Amino acid sequence: MTRPPNCDLSLEELERDRWPAPSADTTRLVATAHALLRRPIGELTVEDIRLLIGQDIGLSYLLPLALEVLRDNPMAAGDMYEGDLLSAVLTRNPAVWTESSGLGRELRALVSELIDLPPDLQQKVERFLIQ
């Protein structure tokens, strides 16, 4: 899970899994996720990464990218609120961090140093740290 991805490739290319086109009555979220699957991961914005991680899509490629962003700015924001990328990362299934212990250790170190977080985000940090 910690392999450096080729940022010129899309998630579909990296995972070698082409998703079928969404139906005409699909939700905006599903349509957006489908479109993002085809975009090179090096072109994804913080919001794109947050959205895909929140849907558990492409985690093996996107969590390392998210941690790169969070190293520089733990409160990086997509379109929702300050710290929404961190929130998405923290709330993944604990098994994800077991599979990628190196990333999990790095995230633990990063969040253990954060102070003055909003209460909701602080709760997510605390839940993550006791896993």
Side-chain angles (χ1 to χ4, degrees):
M1 191 183 239
T2 59
R3 62 189 174 278
N6 180 340
C7 290
D8 294 328
L9 299 177
S10 69
L11 283 172
E12 278 192 341
E13 293 167 320
L14 290 164
E15 294 182 337
R16 295 185 176 126
D17 182 21
R18 185 160 308 274
W19 288 24
S23 64
D25 64 341
T26 194
T27 66
R28 183 173 155 266
L29 175 62
V30 171
T32 300
H34 272 78
L36 293 175
L37 288 170
R38 293 174 175 88
R39 185 177 299 163
I41 63 171
E43 295 177 12
L44 296 176
T45 66
V46 169
E47 173 59 15
D48 299 337
I49 294 168
R50 181 206 62 81
L51 183 144
L52 291 166
I53 288 174
Q55 297 302 308
D56 292 318
I57 298 172
L59 295 180
S60 63
Y61 298 100
L62 297 180
L63 287 175
L65 293 179
L67 282 175
E68 284 181 26
V69 172
L70 295 171
R71 270 185 230 116
D72 292 334
N73 180 7
M75 296 302 289
D79 291 348
M80 305 261 307
Y81 54 89
E82 188 178 34
D84 60 2
L85 178 61
L86 179 59
S87 178
V89 168
L90 289 170
T91 55
R92 293 311 89 214
N93 185 313
V96 169
W97 304 110
T98 301
E99 294 169 13
S100 180
S101 59
L103 287 176
R105 280 191 301 275
E106 183 177 349
L107 182 58
R108 283 181 192 287
L110 187 143
V111 299
S112 66
E113 296 177 5
L114 298 178
I115 57 171
D116 297 326
L117 294 172
D120 181 57
L121 195 52
Q122 182 63 44
Q123 288 176 348
K124 290 174 183 172
V125 166
E126 289 168 6
R127 276 183 289 215
F128 174 78
L129 290 174
I130 62 171
Q131 296 177 40

